Amino acid sequence: MTEGSSSVRGVKDLIFEKVGFLPKDAVSWLYVARGLYKLKDYHHVIEAVSFCLRNEKTSKEAQHLLAFSLLNTGQPEQAAAAFLKSVSLGNESDWQPLVELCIENPKMQLRKGTQIAGASVSTRRI
């Protein structure tokens, strides 16, 4: 499966066609997203994690997959926002790609007042 195929059909259509039925809960959708990520089908990952982001059991890992999928689809601003949210959910390792994105894209700035674990983020340059 390639990145470009996501514009042809959605993740539900893809999974139903290939498997014959759809996942029934957020945990199952997270496993679908993991598989799609491993296959580098990042557009479908973005769609699949949408079924996981509001579930307490799956939101942390889903946010992590979302951030990297956005990065891999050439959406640096959205990826930075997703990494920031991922950090706030406890994915401490996502600080690294967040910092790299902000340094590699000097015009990109986090919004003032953004909260990470209860502390305001400064928009000053490092």
Side-chain angles (χ1 to χ4, degrees), residues 43-56:
H43 287 94
H44 279 132
V45 173
I46 293 167
E47 199 176 336
V49 297
S50 69
F51 300 104
C52 311
L53 292 170
R54 292 189 183 139
N55 183 292
E56 189 175 321

Side-chain angles (χ1 to χ4, degrees), residues 8-55:
V8 176
R9 62 183 169 193
V11 70
K12 283 184 171 183
D13 292 336
L14 173 69
I15 299 305
F16 190 78
E17 178 186 313
K18 299 297 181 185
V19 180
F21 57 94
L22 295 173
K24 296 199 182 288
D25 59 26
V27 173
S28 299
W29 275 108
L30 183 60
Y31 283 108
V32 167
R34 285 180 183 175
L36 293 168
Y37 189 86
K38 187 174 180 180
L39 295 171
K40 299 181 180 181
D41 189 354
Y42 304 118
H43 287 94
H44 279 132
V45 173
I46 293 167
E47 199 176 336
V49 297
S50 69
F51 300 104
C52 311
L53 292 170
R54 292 189 183 139
N55 183 292

